[in-house]
Coordinates of all heavy atoms in Angstrom, one line a residue:
N1 N 20.0 -6.9 1.2 CA 18.6 -6.5 1.1 C 17.8 -6.8 2.4 O 18.2 -7.8 3.1 CB 17.9 -7.3 0.0 CG 18.3 -6.7 -1.4 OD1 18.7 -5.6 -1.5 ND2 18.2 -7.6 -2.4
D2 N 16.8 -6.0 2.7 CA 16.0 -6.2 3.9 C 14.6 -6.8 3.4 O 14.2 -6.7 2.3 CB 15.8 -4.9 4.6 CG 17.0 -4.4 5.2 OD1 17.8 -5.2 5.6 OD2 17.2 -3.2 5.3
F3 N 13.9 -7.3 4.4 CA 12.5 -7.7 4.2 C 11.6 -6.5 4.3 O 11.7 -5.7 5.3 CB 12.1 -8.7 5.3 CG 10.7 -9.2 5.2 CD1 10.4 -10.3 4.4 CD2 9.7 -8.6 5.9 CE1 9.1 -10.7 4.3 CE2 8.4 -9.0 5.8 CZ 8.1 -10.1 5.0
S4 N 10.8 -6.2 3.3 CA 10.0 -5.0 3.3 C 8.8 -5.1 2.3 O 8.9 -5.8 1.3 CB 10.8 -3.7 3.0 OG 11.3 -3.8 1.7
L5 N 7.8 -4.3 2.6 CA 6.6 -4.1 1.8 C 6.5 -2.6 1.6 O 6.2 -1.9 2.6 CB 5.4 -4.8 2.4 CG 4.1 -4.6 1.6 CD1 4.1 -5.1 0.2 CD2 2.9 -5.2 2.4
S6 N 6.6 -2.1 0.4 CA 6.6 -0.6 0.2 C 5.1 -0.1 0.2 O 4.2 -0.9 -0.1 CB 7.2 -0.2 -1.1 OG 6.5 -0.7 -2.2
Q7 N 4.9 1.1 0.6 CA 3.6 1.7 0.5 C 3.2 1.9 -0.9 O 4.0 2.2 -1.8 CB 3.6 3.1 1.2 CG 2.3 3.8 1.3 CD 1.3 3.0 2.1 OE1 1.6 2.6 3.3 NE2 0.1 2.7 1.6
N8 N 2.0 1.6 -1.2 CA 1.5 1.7 -2.6 C 1.4 3.1 -3.1 O 1.3 4.1 -2.3 CB 0.1 1.0 -2.7 CG -1.0 1.7 -1.9 OD1 -0.8 2.0 -0.7 ND2 -2.1 2.0 -2.6
Y9 N 1.5 3.3 -4.4 CA 1.4 4.6 -5.0 C 0.6 4.4 -6.3 O 0.9 3.5 -7.1 CB 2.8 5.1 -5.4 CG 2.7 6.4 -6.1 CD1 2.6 7.6 -5.4 CD2 2.8 6.5 -7.5 CE1 2.5 8.8 -6.1 CE2 2.7 7.7 -8.2 CZ 2.5 8.9 -7.5 OH 2.4 10.1 -8.1
A10 N -0.4 5.1 -6.5 CA -1.1 6.1 -5.9 C -1.9 5.6 -4.7 O -2.5 4.5 -4.8 CB -2.0 6.8 -6.9
N11 N -2.1 6.4 -3.7 CA -2.8 6.0 -2.5 C -3.5 7.3 -2.0 O -2.8 8.2 -1.5 CB -2.0 5.4 -1.5 CG -2.8 4.8 -0.3 OD1 -3.9 4.4 -0.5 ND2 -2.2 4.8 0.8
P12 N -4.8 7.5 -2.1 CA -5.8 6.6 -2.6 C -5.7 6.4 -4.2 O -5.1 7.2 -4.8 CB -7.1 7.2 -2.2 CG -6.8 8.6 -2.1 CD -5.4 8.8 -1.7
F13 N -6.4 5.3 -4.6 CA -6.5 5.2 -6.1 C -7.9 4.8 -6.4 O -8.6 4.3 -5.6 CB -5.4 4.2 -6.6 CG -5.8 2.7 -6.4 CD1 -6.3 1.9 -7.4 CD2 -5.7 2.1 -5.2 CE1 -6.6 0.6 -7.3 CE2 -6.0 0.8 -5.0 CZ -6.5 0.0 -6.0
T14 N -8.2 4.9 -7.7 CA -9.6 4.6 -8.2 C -9.5 3.5 -9.2 O -8.9 3.7 -10.3 CB -10.2 5.9 -8.9 OG1 -10.1 7.0 -7.9 CG2 -11.6 5.7 -9.3
P15 N -10.1 2.3 -8.9 CA -10.2 1.2 -9.8 C -10.9 1.7 -11.1 O -11.8 2.5 -11.0 CB -11.0 0.2 -9.1 CG -10.8 0.5 -7.7 CD -10.7 2.0 -7.6
G16 N -10.5 1.2 -12.2 CA -11.1 1.5 -13.5 C -10.4 2.7 -14.1 O -10.5 2.8 -15.3
V17 N -9.8 3.5 -13.3 CA -9.1 4.7 -13.8 C -7.6 4.3 -13.9 O -6.9 4.8 -14.8 CB -9.2 5.9 -12.9 CG1 -8.3 7.1 -13.3 CG2 -10.7 6.3 -12.9
G18 N -7.1 3.5 -13.0 CA -5.7 3.1 -13.0 C -5.5 2.0 -12.0 O -6.4 1.4 -11.4
T19 N -4.2 1.7 -11.8 CA -3.8 0.7 -10.8 C -3.0 1.4 -9.8 O -2.6 2.6 -9.9 CB -2.9 -0.4 -11.5 OG1 -1.7 0.2 -12.1 CG2 -3.7 -1.1 -12.6
T20 N -2.7 0.7 -8.7 CA -1.8 1.2 -7.7 C -0.6 0.3 -7.7 O -0.7 -0.9 -8.0 CB -2.4 1.2 -6.3 OG1 -1.6 1.9 -5.4 CG2 -2.8 -0.2 -5.8
Q21 N 0.6 0.8 -7.5 CA 1.8 0.1 -7.6 C 2.5 0.0 -6.2 O 2.4 0.9 -5.5 CB 2.8 0.8 -8.6 CG 2.3 0.9 -10.0 CD 3.2 1.6 -10.9 OE1 4.4 1.5 -10.7 NE2 2.7 2.4 -11.8
L22 N 3.0 -1.2 -6.0 CA 3.8 -1.4 -4.8 C 4.9 -2.4 -5.1 O 5.0 -2.9 -6.2 CB 2.9 -1.9 -3.7 CG 2.1 -3.2 -3.9 CD1 1.9 -4.0 -2.7 CD2 0.7 -2.9 -4.5
S23 N 5.7 -2.6 -4.1 CA 6.8 -3.6 -4.3 C 7.1 -4.2 -2.9 O 6.8 -3.7 -1.9 CB 8.0 -3.0 -4.9 OG 8.6 -2.0 -4.0
F24 N 7.8 -5.4 -3.0 CA 8.2 -6.0 -1.8 C 9.6 -6.6 -2.0 O 10.0 -6.8 -3.1 CB 7.3 -7.2 -1.3 CG 7.2 -8.4 -2.3 CD1 8.0 -9.5 -2.0 CD2 6.4 -8.4 -3.4 CE1 8.0 -10.6 -2.8 CE2 6.3 -9.5 -4.2 CZ 7.1 -10.6 -3.9
A25 N 10.4 -6.7 -0.9 CA 11.7 -7.2 -1.0 C 11.9 -8.3 0.0 O 11.4 -8.2 1.1 CB 12.7 -6.0 -0.7
V26 N 12.7 -9.3 -0.4 CA 13.1 -10.4 0.5 C 14.6 -10.6 0.5 O 15.2 -10.4 -0.5 CB 12.4 -11.7 0.2 CG1 10.9 -11.6 0.4 CG2 12.6 -12.1 -1.3
P27 N 15.2 -10.9 1.7 CA 16.6 -11.0 1.7 C 17.2 -12.4 1.4 O 18.4 -12.6 1.2 CB 16.9 -10.7 3.2 CG 15.7 -11.2 3.9 CD 14.6 -10.9 3.0
V28 N 16.3 -13.4 1.2 CA 16.7 -14.8 0.9 C 15.7 -15.3 -0.1 O 14.5 -14.9 -0.2 CB 16.8 -15.7 2.1 CG1 17.8 -15.2 3.1 CG2 15.4 -15.8 2.8
V29 N 16.1 -16.3 -0.9 CA 15.2 -17.1 -1.8 C 14.2 -17.8 -0.9 O 14.6 -18.5 0.0 CB 16.0 -18.1 -2.7 CG1 15.0 -18.9 -3.5 CG2 17.0 -17.3 -3.5
A30 N 12.9 -17.5 -1.1 CA 11.9 -18.1 -0.3 C 10.5 -18.0 -0.9 O 10.3 -17.2 -1.8 CB 11.9 -17.4 1.1
P31 N 9.6 -18.8 -0.4 CA 8.2 -18.6 -0.8 C 7.7 -17.3 -0.2 O 8.0 -16.9 0.9 CB 7.4 -19.8 -0.2 CG 8.4 -20.7 0.2 CD 9.7 -20.0 0.4
A32 N 6.8 -16.6 -1.0 CA 6.2 -15.3 -0.5 C 4.8 -15.3 -0.9 O 4.4 -15.8 -2.0 CB 7.0 -14.1 -1.0
T33 N 4.0 -14.6 -0.1 CA 2.6 -14.4 -0.5 C 2.2 -12.9 -0.2 O 2.6 -12.4 0.9 CB 1.7 -15.3 0.4 OG1 2.1 -16.7 0.2 CG2 0.2 -15.2 0.0
V34 N 1.5 -12.3 -1.1 CA 1.0 -10.9 -0.9 C -0.5 -11.0 -1.1 O -1.0 -11.3 -2.1 CB 1.6 -9.9 -1.9 CG1 1.1 -8.5 -1.7 CG2 3.1 -9.9 -1.8
I35 N -1.2 -10.7 0.0 CA -2.7 -10.8 0.0 C -3.3 -9.5 0.4 O -2.8 -8.8 1.3 CB -3.1 -11.9 1.1 CG1 -2.5 -13.2 0.7 CG2 -4.6 -12.0 1.1 CD1 -2.7 -14.3 1.8
I36 N -4.5 -9.2 -0.3 CA -5.3 -8.0 0.1 C -6.5 -8.4 0.9 O -7.1 -9.4 0.6 CB -5.8 -7.3 -1.2 CG1 -4.7 -7.0 -2.2 CG2 -6.6 -6.1 -0.8 CD1 -3.8 -5.9 -1.8
Y37 N -6.7 -7.8 2.0 CA -7.8 -8.0 3.0 C -8.7 -6.8 3.1 O -8.2 -5.7 3.0 CB -7.3 -8.4 4.4 CG -6.4 -9.6 4.5 CD1 -5.0 -9.5 4.4 CD2 -7.0 -10.8 4.7 CE1 -4.3 -10.6 4.5 CE2 -6.2 -12.0 4.9 CZ -4.9 -11.9 4.7 OH -4.1 -13.0 4.9
N38 N -10.0 -7.1 3.3 CA -10.9 -6.0 3.6 C -10.9 -5.7 5.1 O -10.1 -6.3 5.8 CB -12.3 -6.2 3.0 CG -13.0 -7.4 3.7 OD1 -12.6 -7.9 4.8 ND2 -14.0 -7.9 3.1
Q39 N -11.7 -4.7 5.5 CA -11.7 -4.3 6.9 C -12.2 -5.4 7.8 O -12.0 -5.3 9.1 CB -12.5 -3.0 7.1 CG -11.8 -1.8 6.4 CD -12.6 -0.6 6.5 OE1 -13.7 -0.6 7.0 NE2 -12.1 0.5 6.1
L40 N -12.9 -6.4 7.3 CA -13.4 -7.5 8.1 C -12.4 -8.6 8.2 O -12.7 -9.6 8.9 CB -14.7 -8.0 7.5 CG -15.9 -7.0 7.4 CD1 -17.1 -7.7 6.7 CD2 -16.3 -6.5 8.8
G41 N -11.2 -8.5 7.6 CA -10.2 -9.5 7.6 C -10.4 -10.6 6.6 O -9.7 -11.6 6.6
E42 N -11.4 -10.4 5.6 CA -11.6 -11.4 4.6 C -10.7 -11.1 3.4 O -10.3 -10.0 3.1 CB -13.1 -11.2 4.1 CG -14.1 -11.4 5.2 CD -15.5 -10.9 4.7 OE1 -15.6 -10.0 3.9 OE2 -16.4 -11.5 5.2
V43 N -10.2 -12.2 2.8 CA -9.3 -12.2 1.7 C -10.1 -11.6 0.5 O -11.1 -12.1 0.1 CB -8.7 -13.5 1.3 CG1 -7.9 -13.5 0.0 CG2 -7.9 -14.1 2.4
V44 N -9.5 -10.5 -0.1 CA -10.1 -9.9 -1.3 C -9.5 -10.4 -2.5 O -10.1 -10.8 -3.5 CB -10.0 -8.4 -1.2 CG1 -10.4 -7.7 -2.5 CG2 -10.8 -7.8 0.0
N45 N -8.1 -10.5 -2.5 CA -7.4 -10.9 -3.7 C -6.0 -11.3 -3.2 O -5.4 -10.8 -2.3 CB -7.3 -9.8 -4.7 CG -7.0 -10.3 -6.1 OD1 -6.5 -11.5 -6.3 ND2 -7.4 -9.6 -7.1
T46 N -5.4 -12.3 -3.9 CA -4.0 -12.7 -3.7 C -3.2 -12.1 -4.9 O -3.4 -12.5 -6.0 CB -3.9 -14.2 -3.6 OG1 -4.7 -14.7 -2.5 CG2 -2.4 -14.6 -3.4
L47 N -2.3 -11.2 -4.6 CA -1.5 -10.6 -5.7 C -0.3 -11.4 -6.1 O 0.1 -11.4 -7.2 CB -1.0 -9.2 -5.2 CG -2.1 -8.1 -4.9 CD1 -1.4 -6.8 -4.6 CD2 -3.1 -8.0 -6.1
F48 N 0.2 -12.2 -5.1 CA 1.4 -13.0 -5.4 C 1.4 -14.2 -4.5 O 1.1 -14.0 -3.3 CB 2.7 -12.2 -5.3 CG 3.9 -13.0 -5.7 CD1 4.2 -13.1 -7.0 CD2 4.6 -13.7 -4.8 CE1 5.3 -13.9 -7.4 CE2 5.7 -14.5 -5.1 CZ 6.1 -14.6 -6.5
N49 N 1.7 -15.4 -5.0 CA 1.9 -16.5 -4.2 C 2.9 -17.5 -4.9 O 2.5 -18.1 -5.9 CB 0.6 -17.2 -3.9 CG 0.7 -18.4 -2.9 OD1 1.7 -18.4 -2.2 ND2 -0.2 -19.3 -3.0
G50 N 4.1 -17.5 -4.5 CA 5.1 -18.3 -5.1 C 6.5 -18.1 -4.6 O 6.7 -17.3 -3.6
N51 N 7.5 -18.7 -5.2 CA 8.9 -18.5 -4.8 C 9.5 -17.3 -5.4 O 9.1 -17.0 -6.6 CB 9.7 -19.7 -5.2 CG 9.3 -21.0 -4.4 OD1 9.1 -20.9 -3.2 ND2 9.3 -22.1 -5.0
V52 N 10.3 -16.6 -4.7 CA 11.0 -15.4 -5.2 C 12.4 -15.4 -4.9 O 12.9 -16.0 -4.0 CB 10.4 -14.1 -4.6 CG1 9.0 -13.8 -5.0 CG2 10.4 -14.1 -3.0
D53 N 13.2 -14.8 -5.8 CA 14.6 -14.6 -5.6 C 14.9 -13.4 -4.6 O 14.0 -12.6 -4.4 CB 15.3 -14.3 -6.9 CG 15.3 -15.5 -7.8 OD1 15.3 -16.7 -7.3 OD2 15.2 -15.3 -9.1
V54 N 16.1 -13.3 -4.2 CA 16.5 -12.2 -3.3 C 16.3 -10.9 -4.1 O 16.6 -10.9 -5.3 CB 18.0 -12.4 -3.0 CG1 18.5 -11.1 -2.2 CG2 18.2 -13.6 -2.1
G55 N 15.8 -9.9 -3.5 CA 15.7 -8.6 -4.1 C 14.3 -8.0 -4.0 O 13.5 -8.5 -3.3
T56 N 14.1 -7.0 -4.8 CA 12.8 -6.3 -4.9 C 12.0 -6.7 -6.0 O 12.5 -6.9 -7.1 CB 13.1 -4.7 -5.0 OG1 13.9 -4.4 -3.8 CG2 11.8 -3.9 -4.9
H57 N 10.7 -6.8 -5.8 CA 9.7 -7.3 -6.8 C 8.5 -6.4 -6.9 O 7.8 -6.2 -5.9 CB 9.3 -8.8 -6.4 CG 10.4 -9.7 -6.1 ND1 11.1 -10.3 -7.1 CD2 11.1 -10.0 -5.0 CE1 12.1 -11.0 -6.6 NE2 12.1 -10.8 -5.3
P58 N 8.3 -5.8 -8.1 CA 7.2 -4.9 -8.2 C 5.8 -5.7 -8.4 O 5.8 -6.8 -8.9 CB 7.5 -4.2 -9.5 CG 8.4 -5.1 -10.3 CD 9.1 -5.9 -9.3
L59 N 4.8 -5.0 -8.0 CA 3.4 -5.6 -8.1 C 2.5 -4.4 -8.5 O 2.7 -3.3 -8.2 CB 2.9 -6.2 -6.8 CG 3.5 -7.5 -6.3 CD1 3.0 -7.8 -5.0 CD2 3.3 -8.6 -7.3
K60 N 1.3 -4.8 -9.1 CA 0.3 -3.8 -9.3 C -1.0 -4.4 -8.9 O -1.2 -5.6 -9.0 CB 0.2 -3.5 -10.8 CG 1.3 -2.7 -11.4 CD 1.1 -2.4 -12.8 CE 2.3 -1.6 -13.4 NZ 2.1 -1.3 -14.8
W61 N -1.9 -3.6 -8.4 CA -3.3 -4.0 -8.1 C -4.3 -3.1 -8.8 O -4.2 -1.9 -8.7 CB -3.5 -4.0 -6.6 CG -4.9 -4.5 -6.2 CD1 -5.6 -5.6 -6.7 CD2 -5.7 -4.0 -5.2 NE1 -6.8 -5.8 -6.1 CE2 -6.9 -4.8 -5.1 CE3 -5.6 -2.9 -4.3 CZ2 -8.0 -4.6 -4.2 CZ3 -6.7 -2.7 -3.4 CH2 -7.8 -3.5 -3.4
D62 N -5.2 -3.8 -9.5 CA -6.2 -3.0 -10.3 C -7.5 -2.7 -9.5 O -8.4 -2.2 -10.1 CB -6.5 -3.8 -11.6 CG -7.1 -5.2 -11.3 OD1 -7.3 -5.6 -10.1 OD2 -7.2 -5.9 -12.3
G63 N -7.5 -3.0 -8.2 CA -8.7 -2.7 -7.4 C -9.8 -3.7 -7.6 O -10.9 -3.4 -7.3
K64 N -9.4 -4.9 -8.1 CA -10.5 -6.0 -8.3 C -10.3 -7.1 -7.3 O -9.2 -7.4 -6.8 CB -10.4 -6.5 -9.7 CG -10.8 -5.4 -10.7 CD -10.8 -5.9 -12.1 CE -11.2 -4.8 -13.1 NZ -11.2 -5.3 -14.5
D65 N -11.4 -7.8 -7.0 CA -11.3 -8.9 -6.1 C -11.0 -10.2 -6.9 O -10.7 -10.1 -8.1 CB -12.6 -9.1 -5.3 CG -13.8 -9.4 -6.2 OD1 -13.7 -9.8 -7.4 OD2 -14.9 -9.2 -5.7
Q66 N -11.0 -11.3 -6.3 CA -10.6 -12.6 -7.0 C -11.5 -13.0 -8.1 O -11.1 -13.7 -9.0 CB -10.4 -13.7 -5.9 CG -9.3 -13.5 -5.0 CD -9.1 -14.6 -4.0 OE1 -8.5 -15.6 -4.4 NE2 -9.5 -14.5 -2.8
S67 N -12.8 -12.5 -8.0 CA -13.7 -12.8 -9.1 C -13.7 -11.8 -10.3 O -14.4 -12.0 -11.2 CB -15.1 -12.9 -8.5 OG -15.5 -11.6 -8.1
G68 N -12.8 -10.8 -10.1 CA -12.7 -9.8 -11.2 C -13.6 -8.6 -11.1 O -13.6 -7.7 -11.9
S69 N -14.3 -8.5 -9.9 CA -15.2 -7.3 -9.7 C -14.4 -6.2 -9.0 O -13.6 -6.5 -8.1 CB -16.4 -7.7 -8.8 OG -17.1 -8.7 -9.5
E70 N -14.7 -5.0 -9.3 CA -14.1 -3.9 -8.6 C -14.6 -3.8 -7.2 O -15.7 -4.0 -6.9 CB -14.4 -2.5 -9.3 CG -13.7 -2.3 -10.6 CD -14.0 -0.9 -11.2 OE1 -14.6 -0.1 -10.5 OE2 -13.5 -0.7 -12.3
V71 N -13.6 -3.6 -6.3 CA -14.0 -3.5 -4.9 C -14.6 -2.2 -4.5 O -14.4 -1.2 -5.2 CB -12.7 -3.8 -4.0 CG1 -12.1 -5.1 -4.2 CG2 -11.7 -2.7 -4.2
P72 N -15.4 -2.1 -3.5 CA -16.0 -0.8 -3.1 C -15.0 0.1 -2.5 O -13.9 -0.3 -2.1 CB -17.1 -1.2 -2.1 CG -16.7 -2.6 -1.6 CD -15.9 -3.2 -2.7
S73 N -15.3 1.4 -2.4 CA -14.4 2.4 -1.7 C -14.2 1.9 -0.3 O -15.1 1.3 0.4 CB -15.1 3.7 -1.7 OG -15.2 4.2 -3.0
G74 N -13.0 2.2 0.2 CA -12.7 1.9 1.6 C -11.2 1.6 1.8 O -10.4 1.9 0.9
T75 N -10.9 1.2 3.0 CA -9.5 0.9 3.4 C -9.3 -0.6 3.3 O -10.1 -1.4 3.8 CB -9.2 1.4 4.8 OG1 -9.4 2.8 4.9 CG2 -7.8 1.1 5.2
Y76 N -8.2 -1.0 2.7 CA -7.8 -2.4 2.6 C -6.4 -2.6 3.2 O -5.6 -1.6 3.2 CB -7.8 -2.8 1.1 CG -9.2 -2.7 0.6 CD1 -9.8 -1.5 0.1 CD2 -10.0 -3.9 0.5 CE1 -11.1 -1.5 -0.3 CE2 -11.3 -3.9 0.1 CZ -11.8 -2.7 -0.4 OH -13.1 -2.6 -0.8
L77 N -6.1 -3.8 3.6 CA -4.8 -4.1 4.1 C -4.1 -5.0 3.1 O -4.7 -5.9 2.6 CB -4.9 -4.8 5.5 CG -5.6 -4.0 6.6 CD1 -5.7 -4.9 7.8 CD2 -4.7 -2.8 6.9
C78 N -2.8 -4.7 2.9 CA -2.0 -5.6 2.0 C -0.9 -6.2 2.9 O -0.2 -5.5 3.6 CB -1.4 -4.7 0.9 SG -0.3 -5.7 -0.2
K79 N -0.9 -7.5 2.9 CA 0.1 -8.2 3.8 C 1.0 -9.1 3.0 O 0.6 -9.9 2.2 CB -0.7 -9.1 4.8 CG 0.2 -9.7 5.8 CD -0.7 -10.4 6.9 CE 0.2 -10.9 8.0 NZ -0.6 -11.5 9.1
L80 N 2.3 -8.9 3.3 CA 3.4 -9.7 2.7 C 3.8 -10.8 3.8 O 4.0 -10.4 5.0 CB 4.6 -8.9 2.4 CG 5.9 -9.6 2.1 CD1 5.8 -10.6 0.9 CD2 7.0 -8.6 1.9
I81 N 3.8 -12.0 3.4 CA 4.3 -13.1 4.3 C 5.3 -13.9 3.6 O 5.1 -14.3 2.5 CB 3.1 -14.0 4.7 CG1 1.9 -13.3 5.3 CG2 3.6 -15.1 5.7 CD1 0.6 -14.1 5.4
S82 N 6.5 -14.1 4.3 CA 7.5 -14.9 3.7 C 8.3 -15.5 4.9 O 8.9 -14.7 5.7 CB 8.5 -14.1 2.9 OG 9.5 -14.9 2.3
G83 N 8.3 -16.8 5.0 CA 8.9 -17.5 6.1 C 8.2 -17.0 7.4 O 7.0 -17.0 7.5
E84 N 9.0 -16.6 8.4 CA 8.5 -16.1 9.7 C 8.3 -14.6 9.7 O 7.9 -14.0 10.7 CB 9.5 -16.5 10.8 CG 9.6 -18.0 11.0 CD 10.6 -18.3 12.1 OE1 11.0 -17.4 12.8 OE2 10.8 -19.5 12.3
N85 N 8.5 -14.0 8.5 CA 8.4 -12.5 8.4 C 7.0 -12.1 7.8 O 6.5 -12.8 7.0 CB 9.5 -11.9 7.5 CG 10.9 -12.2 8.1 OD1 11.1 -11.8 9.3 ND2 11.7 -12.8 7.3
S86 N 6.5 -11.0 8.3 CA 5.3 -10.4 7.7 C 5.4 -8.9 7.8 O 6.0 -8.4 8.7 CB 4.0 -11.0 8.3 OG 3.9 -10.6 9.6
S87 N 4.7 -8.3 6.9 CA 4.6 -6.8 6.9 C 3.3 -6.4 6.3 O 2.8 -7.1 5.3 CB 5.7 -6.2 6.1 OG 5.7 -4.8 6.1
T88 N 2.6 -5.4 6.8 CA 1.3 -5.0 6.4 C 1.3 -3.5 6.1 O 1.9 -2.7 6.9 CB 0.2 -5.3 7.4 OG1 0.3 -6.7 7.7 CG2 -1.1 -5.0 6.9
I89 N 0.6 -3.1 5.0 CA 0.3 -1.7 4.7 C -1.2 -1.4 4.6 O -1.9 -2.4 4.3 CB 1.1 -1.2 3.5 CG1 0.7 -2.0 2.3 CG2 2.6 -1.2 3.7 CD1 1.2 -1.4 0.9
K90 N -1.6 -0.2 4.7 CA -3.0 0.2 4.5 C -3.1 0.8 3.1 O -2.2 1.6 2.7 CB -3.5 1.2 5.5 CG -3.8 0.5 6.8 CD -4.4 1.6 7.8 CE -4.6 1.0 9.1 NZ -5.2 2.0 10.1
M91 N -4.1 0.5 2.3 CA -4.4 1.1 1.0 C -5.8 1.6 1.0 O -6.7 1.0 1.6 CB -4.2 0.1 -0.1 CG -2.8 -0.5 -0.1 SD -2.4 -1.5 -1.6 CE -3.6 -2.8 -1.4
T92 N -6.0 2.8 0.3 CA -7.3 3.3 0.2 C -7.8 3.3 -1.2 O -7.1 3.8 -2.1 CB -7.3 4.8 0.8 OG1 -6.8 4.8 2.1 CG2 -8.7 5.4 0.7
V93 N -9.0 2.8 -1.4 CA -9.7 2.8 -2.7 C -10.8 3.9 -2.6 O -11.6 3.9 -1.6 CB -10.3 1.4 -3.0 CG1 -11.2 1.5 -4.2 CG2 -9.2 0.4 -3.1
S94 N -10.8 4.8 -3.6 CA -11.9 5.8 -3.6 C -12.5 5.8 -5.0 O -11.8 5.6 -6.0 CB -11.3 7.2 -3.3 OG -10.4 7.6 -4.2
K95 N -13.8 6.1 -5.0 CA -14.5 6.2 -6.3 C -15.2 7.5 -6.5 O -15.4 8.2 -5.6 CB -15.5 5.0 -6.4 CG -14.8 3.7 -6.5 CD -15.8 2.6 -6.7 CE -15.0 1.3 -6.8 NZ -15.9 0.2 -7.2

């Protein structure tokens, strides 16, 4: 397995109507964190933070921030960090 963060699907997506799905893969057992950032670099939500086994791991984002409020339309960055590796994708929220 390789280290990777897949592009989300659906992209763009509309919070309240559905979720967007993505997945990440790690080649070794390790701690991993998946964080959503806004265009200002501020943390919007942490989708995952913990230890993972080797392989691919699915995630969903409902378009909400850490307080449970729907985020505004715009472009967001999703970043996977595990050990010395990191990967980032862009996601679009539309309403």
Side-chain angles (χ1 to χ4, degrees):
N1 286 338
D2 292 327
F3 179 87
S4 66
L5 175 62
S6 69
Q7 185 62 52
N8 64 309
Y9 177 81
N11 189 29
F13 79 103
T14 305
V17 174
T19 61
T20 190
Q21 299 178 34
L22 57 147
S23 65
F24 67 95
V26 294
V28 297
V29 175
T33 305
V34 179
I35 302 172
I36 307 292
Y37 296 92
N38 63 18
Q39 293 178 355
L40 300 175
E42 300 167 329
V43 173
V44 172
N45 203 337
T46 301
L47 297 185
F48 183 85
N49 186 21
N51 291 320
V52 291
D53 292 328
V54 173
T56 302
H57 307 276
L59 290 173
K60 290 183 182 180
W61 183 38
D62 58 6
K64 294 183 180 177
D65 62 19
Q66 292 184 78
S67 66
S69 300
E70 286 186 4
V71 298
S73 296
T75 301
Y76 293 83
L77 298 176
C78 179
K79 185 172 187 177
L80 165 64
I81 305 165
S82 183
E84 296 180 5
N85 298 307
S86 69
S87 182
T88 304
I89 60 170
K90 287 183 180 181
M91 301 189 297
T92 302
V93 172
S94 66
K95 293 186 177 185

